[in-house]
Amino acid sequence: MNPIIQINNLNKSFGQVHALKSISLEVNESELFGIIGPDGAGKTTLFRTLATLYTPDSGNVSVLGYDVVRDYKKIRPLLGYMPGRFSLYQDLTVEENIRFFASVFGTTLEENYKLVEPVYRQIEPFKNRLAGDLSGGMKQKLALSCALIHKPRLLILDEPTTGVDAVSRVEFWDMLAILVKDVTIIVATPYMDEARRCNRVAFIQEGEILQVDTPEAIVKSFKKPLFGVSHKNRFKLIRALKNYPYSESVHTFGDSIHYTDQRDLPDLDGLKTYLHDMGLENVEIGTLIPGIEDSFMALVLKEANHA
Amino acid sequence: MPDKAIIAENLTRKFGDFTAVDQVSFDVEKGEIFGFLGANGAGKTTAIRILTGLLAPTSGKAFVAGLNVYTEMEKIKKSIGYMSQKFSLYDDLTVRENIRFYGGIYGLPRSILKQKTDEIIEIVGLGDAVNKRVASLPLGWKQKLAFSVSILHNPDIVFLDEPTSGVDPITRRQFWEMIYEASENGITIFVTTHYLDEAEYCDRVSIMVDGRIDALDTPAGLKKTFNADSIEEVFIRLARKEVWDERYQS
């Protein structure tokens, strides 16, 4: 497989802020690759560097075999870049926007219709509506169509699903699963659950990459037994668990508290007795299969303990 | 009436031909954590603007902290706290200046303000950052600070509009622990979120579709009614039909 993106020891600072700290990463052809991390982790800085909009302070970055500093003019026509902020022309219609982006890259809507069809077909019924009047989910679809219209070899999507409701998020990922047959995709998101939809993901936090792997392997690397503890007074339960001398991690999670113990063989009866003594009766404790978010938090806490 | 934090009866708001909020009825108990969910464009923001005294309804009734949304808007504003993902604090003021500014707006006496400031710095774990400009803080800290500031004047109800969007998973949970604590202290929490695991942290959840509340129950009750494993599944099933309409009716 050919690496479409090769990053070697990339550093980037803005004044005192060290936004990217010695990042190394490879993305292969035809991958749907996720950069997962919270606000301020460095995702946008990384993507602007890949899009040849920022130059690295040090390190090497190549995209599609070209150097992002020296060969930026060769890279740009080959990229489809969707920035985090909606950046289409709000006072043009849906159709005018896509025709404009096509003409800038010297092509037409007709020529590449097949490629954008899975996305564009969904907004085509509204082709005469102003882009500014579209709902959030439809704006995302139009932006994606415009990023695709010149048949790029790499799609760079910076938080396409932030602030988008759960239904539109699921639909957006369904579309990416179709598109990745024709184009390599690198996508940033703060939603941990979206990692499942990627071939591989990189966890990023405070400018550092914590782990790169397939979602399955990341979940498998969570070795500790994980328990789900529930009681109707969640607040009291969290406090009690955090004060338990053997507790390692305590995180609220859906309808239960996810708990790991410092000991290799946790004493659940002892824990129940302790909770009972704290006034929490009929606590339920079950074994859980860890998810992506459990793994991410465990990694972050491990880093914090090392620092 | 005073035993409920919020009462809405057939609450409606139209913009021209468009009905953003369509005969919505619900109650929120005092001290409850109430999750207010809905797809983009379902009418959540309009409803929140009415309940916070910023927008008059077209018809129907609503009382917030026992106050009428038609006639007592200014009193409502004093009885509630509000924070959103987009704007809550002044980026170019320091942490301390922000707290002092909001304390001043809500008319807190100097001595109480001083004590509250120390409390917030302790709770949020700000320490040395108290004299830093808010712009330089990580988002998670900012949001925890914004929440503390929104309940500075000990309001009856606090409205939280997507308070945790983009916040890292660990800080997001610390934020919810602050919400639980405020609720323990008797403050009613009215919260919107796109993280549907957070819906499970609420006492009750409503789901808004096309300007109406299509479902309202405890998280466990909703999952049972819809025979679903998670609130996300319930949400997608309810909101799907709206997406369907939008896509196929031109």
Side-chain angles (χ1 to χ4, degrees):
Chain A
M1 268 195 287
N2 300 320
I4 292 286
I5 297 172
Q6 261 183 311
I7 303 172
N8 231 321
N9 257 321
L10 167 64
N11 282 285
K12 181 75 185 176
S13 295
F14 300 96
Q16 299 291 312
V17 182
H18 200 166
L20 296 176
K21 299 170 187 162
S22 302
I23 282 188
S24 295
L25 194 69
E26 277 190 9
V27 175
N28 298 314
E29 183 150 22
S30 304
E31 266 196 304
L32 176 47
F33 192 96
I35 302 283
I36 319 267
D39 246 56
K43 302 190 296 295
T44 297
T45 305
L46 177 62
F47 278 24
R48 286 185 182 162
T49 309
L50 293 174
T52 76
L53 300 171
Y54 284 158
T55 54
D57 292 344
S58 65
N60 292 311
V61 180
S62 76
V63 172
L64 299 157
Y66 297 112
D67 184 273
V68 290
V69 180
R70 209 176 46 236
D71 302 321
Y72 72 94
K73 281 188 181 166
K74 290 193 179 115
I75 295 174
R76 287 185 182 177
L78 304 175
L79 295 182
Y81 172 51
M82 187 171 154
R85 206 171 282 176
F86 184 67
S87 51
L88 301 178
Y89 296 92
Q90 315 245 10
D91 49 356
L92 294 185
T93 66
V94 167
E95 191 179 359
E96 284 166 347
N97 263 293
I98 195 162
R99 288 197 183 280
F100 172 77
F101 279 89
S103 71
V104 165
F105 287 99
T107 182
T108 60
L109 175 57
E110 287 70 24
E111 191 174 335
N112 288 327
Y113 188 82
K114 261 260 161 298
L115 183 69
V116 298
E117 191 182 1
V119 189
Y120 186 64
R121 200 183 46 213
Q122 302 180 27
I123 47 173
E124 213 170 7
F126 313 100
K127 64 182 182 188
N128 295 322
R129 196 179 283 186
L130 292 183
D133 293 339
L134 295 176
S135 71
M138 289 207 287
K139 274 184 183 162
Q140 300 299 70
K141 286 170 194 162
L142 177 58
L144 183 58
S145 304
C146 291
L148 267 177
I149 191 62
H150 60 295
K151 210 173 179 202
R153 288 189 53 207
L154 172 65
L155 260 186
I156 300 175
L157 310 176
D158 193 1
E159 299 206 20
T161 54
T162 293
V164 174
D165 67 65
V167 177
S168 304
R169 279 171 50 198
V170 168
E171 288 189 329
F172 198 85
W173 281 94
D174 288 346
M175 288 185 299
L176 296 189
I178 298 171
L179 295 176
V180 75
K181 290 169 191 156
D182 294 308
V183 57
T184 306
I185 302 175
I186 182 168
V187 52
T189 177
Y191 294 101
M192 300 285 149
D193 57 328
E194 295 183 345
R196 276 177 305 177
R197 310 290 305 259
C198 302
N199 300 122
R200 285 195 306 149
V201 298
F203 281 153
I204 184 168
Q205 165 104 341
E206 289 173 11
E208 284 179 273
I209 289 189
L210 303 177
Q211 190 175 9
V212 184
D213 219 323
T214 62
E216 297 76 22
I218 283 178
V219 168
K220 273 199 189 131
S221 66
F222 190 100
K223 297 283 189 222
K224 281 260 172 177
L226 180 69
F227 301 98
V229 187
S230 44
H231 186 270
K232 60 179 190 302
N233 191 333
R234 195 190 297 257
F235 183 60
K236 218 167 149 187
L237 178 60
I238 295 170
R239 285 225 163 151
L241 283 173
K242 285 199 167 171
N243 289 327
Y244 187 53
Y246 299 108
S247 87
E248 185 184 61
S249 69
V250 178
H251 299 301
T252 48
F253 240 105
D255 54 6
S256 71
I257 313 289
H258 287 197
Y259 170 80
T260 61
D261 199 281
Q262 290 165 17
R263 298 165 292 186
D264 289 334
L265 284 172
D267 170 16
L268 294 186
D269 288 333
L271 175 59
K272 268 193 177 161
T273 308
Y274 162 80
L275 292 172
H276 183 89
D277 292 345
M278 299 298 288
L280 292 155
E281 283 165 32
N282 301 321
V283 170
E284 285 176 43
I285 304 180
T287 317
L288 293 174
I289 300 164
I292 290 280
E293 196 156 346
D294 292 301
S295 306
F296 180 82
M297 288 194 288
L299 277 170
V300 170
L301 291 175
K302 206 170 100 192
E303 286 283 310
N305 289 337
H306 281 282
Chain B
M1 194 169 305
D3 55 321
K4 303 275 188 195
I6 299 174
I7 300 171
E9 262 179 51
N10 293 321
L11 192 65
T12 301
R13 172 70 207 205
K14 293 183 182 175
F15 296 102
D17 291 339
F18 178 66
T19 307
V21 175
D22 192 3
Q23 301 194 45
V24 161
S25 300
F26 65 95
D27 293 348
V28 179
E29 305 290 332
K30 273 194 175 167
E32 190 173 24
I33 302 176
F34 190 86
F36 194 62
L37 308 185
N40 299 120
K44 297 191 301 289
T45 303
T46 304
I48 290 175
R49 288 178 65 202
I50 295 171
L51 297 174
T52 51
L54 297 174
L55 182 73
T58 308
S59 61
K61 287 183 199 165
F63 296 89
V64 176
L67 301 163
N68 191 325
V69 296
Y70 287 93
T71 55
E72 297 175 291
M73 290 154 111
E74 291 313 307
K75 278 191 190 157
I76 287 176
K77 288 175 196 162
K78 285 181 186 158
S79 310
I80 62 166
Y82 174 80
M83 80 164 273
S84 78
Q85 196 232 336
K86 286 173 198 96
F87 172 79
S88 284
L89 299 170
Y90 291 91
D91 263 354
D92 46 1
L93 295 184
T94 65
V95 171
R96 192 187 292 281
E97 285 165 346
N98 264 291
I99 299 172
R100 199 195 304 153
F101 175 77
Y102 278 96
I105 284 191
Y106 286 116
L108 292 191
R110 200 171 280 263
S111 58
I112 291 184
L113 187 55
K114 165 110 188 36
Q115 177 204 332
K116 287 263 187 186
T117 306
D118 295 340
E119 267 175 40
I120 291 175
I121 289 162
E122 164 88 33
I123 291 167
V124 184
L126 283 163
D128 299 341
V130 64
N131 292 318
K132 278 195 180 164
R133 285 203 286 167
V134 162
S136 68
L137 298 181
L139 178 71
W141 283 25
K142 253 190 227 179
Q143 295 304 80
K144 286 199 281 184
L145 175 63
F147 178 66
S148 301
V149 167
S150 73
I151 57 171
L152 194 60
H153 56 303
N154 204 18
D156 293 327
I157 306 162
V158 63
F159 290 85
L160 309 173
D161 197 358
E162 292 182 34
T164 54
S165 277
V167 175
D168 71 83
I170 292 171
T171 313
R172 205 150 69 78
R173 287 172 170 82
Q174 291 167 350
F175 190 93
W176 271 91
E177 284 167 34
M178 292 174 73
I179 291 183
Y180 289 137
E181 177 144 30
S183 156
E184 287 275 313
N185 293 334
I187 296 179
T188 306
I189 315 282
F190 191 93
V191 58
T192 75
T193 180
H194 284 311
Y195 294 94
L196 294 181
D197 61 321
E198 292 184 347
E200 309 250 13
Y201 308 163
C202 301
D203 295 318
R204 284 190 307 150
V205 170
S206 71
I207 299 178
M208 206 167 175
V209 180
D210 272 345
R212 290 169 171 271
I213 288 182
D214 271 13
L216 198 174
D217 204 341
T218 60
L222 283 177
K223 285 188 280 185
K224 204 173 160 202
T225 307
F226 289 87
N227 192 20
D229 289 333
S230 64
I231 294 295
E232 177 163 13
E233 216 179 304
V234 175
F235 181 87
I236 289 177
R237 210 172 298 172
L238 281 171
R240 239 342 148 186
K241 76 173 196 290
E242 187 211 17
V243 171
W244 186 266
D245 289 348
E246 183 180 80
R247 201 187 295 169
Y248 297 102
Q249 289 177 4
S250 190

